[in-house]
Amino acid sequence: MEIITHEFMALALFIFLAFFLILGFPVALTLAGTSIIFAYIGYLLGLFPLVLLGVLPNRVFSIINNETLIAVPLFIFMGIMMKKSGIVDSLLINLSKIWGDRKGGLAYSTLFVGMLMAASTGIVGATVVTMGILSLPLMIKWGYDHKISTGIVCASGTLGQIIPPSIVLVLLADILQGANEKAAQIKGNLAPDPVSSIDLFAGAILPGIMLVLLYAIWIFIISKVRPTDFPLPKNLNKE
């Protein structure tokens, strides 16, 4: 019985990927470099035919020629423009003034701005980083509990996964389209109904709105149970 199996190599690959990403290595180099290194290790162990690396350029060009995936860099560009233009900064500050006389007002503002950023960029990392830079220092300055503040920022950042348009949904649509065609061919259907990103966007609207409402209900309940964790600013208009 072989000790090192394909499943063990896959688990080791995942662990090394996470390790190098945590160390701060560039994502593109980490993904490509670690995969190639493990492919060579698998070849030495007799688990991976190295000849498969020869078709890697074909795979790269097929992804480049995919018109659907052009939305990914455009979403990233849109998120960067929102951050650099200062729109998010102004929106968060003005919303915090509107909700300032309510318990948890800044938390609601952070959640709302996170929802707008999720719908505009579709990126979790960009939303979390932006909200962490803008809203987290403000919540700490107002005296919010640190754990609750970081939790709200992370929760609002995850909305980028589900609120359409989302990069994840675009990628899933591309994958599900291929899986749908293969499943239809097995059944003998040569003209299956296509699965597009629009279908996934439509299906994610209601769950996304429900998730935002659940987050808001949680903030409301916690602000009533533990009001000291959501203090009101003394001079809101001067913030």
Side-chain angles (χ1 to χ4, degrees):
M1 180 178 180
E2 296 182 356
I3 299 177
I4 300 179
T5 61
H6 292 86
E7 290 77 11
F8 176 83
M9 290 293 293
L11 179 61
L13 173 61
F14 175 78
I15 293 174
F16 273 86
L17 277 176
F19 176 74
F20 287 119
L21 290 175
I22 292 174
L23 289 181
F25 286 94
V27 176
L29 296 179
T30 301
L31 293 176
T34 308
S35 301
I36 293 175
I37 291 174
F38 267 80
Y40 187 72
I41 294 175
Y43 167 72
L44 296 178
L45 298 175
L47 299 175
F48 180 78
L50 202 60
V51 68
L52 291 180
L53 290 180
V55 300
L56 186 60
N58 296 331
R59 178 60 177 167
V60 173
F61 280 106
S62 65
I63 295 176
I64 294 176
N65 293 328
N66 192 324
E67 297 180 358
T68 303
L69 298 182
I70 193 63
V72 175
L74 292 178
F75 274 135
I76 297 175
F77 175 76
M78 185 163 50
I80 294 174
M81 289 299 101
M82 286 188 63
K83 176 64 180 67
K84 296 296 183 180
S85 63
I87 296 176
V88 180
D89 308 50
S90 302
L91 181 61
L92 180 63
I93 292 174
N94 291 322
L95 282 176
S96 64
K97 292 180 179 180
I98 295 174
W99 291 87
D101 58 343
R102 296 178 180 272
K103 284 290 184 180
L106 185 54
Y108 292 121
S109 303
T110 302
L111 178 61
F112 183 73
V113 174
M115 179 186 68
L116 293 181
M117 285 200 64
S120 301
T121 64
I123 313 170
V124 174
T127 306
V128 172
V129 171
T130 303
M131 300 309 296
I133 294 174
L134 299 177
S135 62
L136 186 58
L138 190 58
M139 284 192 285
I140 294 176
K141 183 179 180 180
W142 285 16
Y144 276 41
D145 181 76
H146 289 195
K147 295 180 180 178
I148 292 179
S149 301
T150 54
I152 293 172
V153 171
C154 293
S156 61
T158 58
L159 296 174
Q161 295 277 19
I162 188 171
I163 294 182
S166 169
I167 289 179
V168 176
L169 296 179
V170 173
L171 298 176
L172 282 177
D174 181 63
I175 296 173
L176 291 177
Q177 176 63 27
N180 180 56
E181 292 177 356
K182 291 182 179 179
Q185 290 177 1
I186 294 175
K187 293 181 179 180
N189 183 8
L190 300 180
D193 295 331
V195 178
S196 64
S197 56
I198 298 178
D199 298 327
L200 270 68
F201 289 168
I205 292 177
L206 182 60
I209 295 176
M210 290 179 61
L211 189 59
V212 174
L213 292 177
L214 289 175
Y215 285 159
I217 293 173
W218 180 87
I219 294 174
F220 176 78
I221 294 175
I222 297 298
S223 64
K224 296 298 182 181
V225 175
R226 298 161 55 183
T228 56
D229 293 337
F230 297 85
L232 297 176
K234 297 180 181 179
N235 298 314
L236 179 61
N237 295 328
K238 298 181 180 181
E239 292 290 341

